């Protein structure tokens, strides 16, 4: 979905799709966290099973977010970077990979300290801020001439 959207509509749209996916996934995860449940006993209680399915939906949305963000952000960077500076842009962006890989560990620690509901609520605020920033991105394809567009087909 992200690749087709990137090709047909533009990478800004893919980044916006990713931001919407993380907002929705976070809201779904928050709903799943509202109850205390044990997945081993879920078969005996249909409400517990519903929470597991809800949490599964949050993971699916999270996967869609990660895929869309990877495709959209790297392709967007290629759209805006001058040809001779593309390697530098990619290297700079890749420098954030390790610190971002540590964020789930931090979230786990914070969730143990203050609870999942508050972590998901804070995540939703950050996701909404990311969506607001994504909506402000310009679409680089709007600045291409007809010849440039024809060359990309």
């Amino acid at each position: 979905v992200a690749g087709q959207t990137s090709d047909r509509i533009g990478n800004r749209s893919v980044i916006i799709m990713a931001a919407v996916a993380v907002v929705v996934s976070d809201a779904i995860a928050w709903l799943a966290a509202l109850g205390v449940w044990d997945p081993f006993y879920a078969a005996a209680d249909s409400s517990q099973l519903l929470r597991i399915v809800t949490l599964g939906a949050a993971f699916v949305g999270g996967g869609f977010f990660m895929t869309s963000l990877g495709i959209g952000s790297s392709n967007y960077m290629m759209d805006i970077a001058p040809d001779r500076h593309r390697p530098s842009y990619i290297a700079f962006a890749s420098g954030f990979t390790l610190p971002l890989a540590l964020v789930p560990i931090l979230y786990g620690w914070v969730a143990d300290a203050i609870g999942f509901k508050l972590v998901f609520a804070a995540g939703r605020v950050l996701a909404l801020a990311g969506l607001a920033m994504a909506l402000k991105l310009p679409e680089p394809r709007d600045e291409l001439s007809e010849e440039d567009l024809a060359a990309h087909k």
Side-chain angles (χ1 to χ4, degrees):
V1 172
Q4 290 294 323
T5 303
S6 173
D7 289 344
R8 297 178 195 276
I9 300 172
N11 296 306
R12 176 183 179 267
S13 298
V14 176
I15 293 170
I16 292 170
M17 281 183 355
V20 169
V22 77
V23 169
V24 170
S25 296
D26 181 80
I28 291 170
W30 179 78
L31 286 173
L34 285 178
V36 176
W37 48 280
D38 186 346
F40 296 109
Y41 300 108
D45 184 356
S46 62
S47 68
Q48 302 298 3
L49 183 58
L50 178 63
R51 288 189 180 110
I52 291 173
V53 170
T54 304
L55 192 55
F59 278 105
V60 169
F64 184 80
F65 159 71
M66 292 300 294
T67 303
S68 297
L69 185 64
I71 290 171
S73 63
S74 62
N75 288 341
Y76 189 87
M77 196 172 323
M78 297 289 227
D79 284 345
I80 64 170
D83 288 343
R84 64 188 183 101
H85 292 295
R86 283 184 182 161
S88 298
Y89 277 56
I90 297 296
F92 179 75
S94 296
F96 292 98
T97 304
L98 179 61
L100 290 177
L102 300 176
V103 169
I105 297 168
L106 176 65
Y107 277 172
W109 177 76
V110 172
D112 279 346
I114 66 172
F116 284 100
K117 290 180 237 178
L118 290 175
V119 168
F120 290 137
R124 197 165 38 261
V125 169
L126 292 172
L128 287 168
L131 176 60
M133 286 187 264
L135 290 169
K136 291 182 180 183
L137 289 172
E139 177 54 61
R141 293 181 186 191
D142 291 344
E143 298 170 9
L144 295 175
S145 66
E146 291 299 323
E147 296 84 31
D148 290 335
L149 289 172
H152 290 291
K153 288 185 180 181

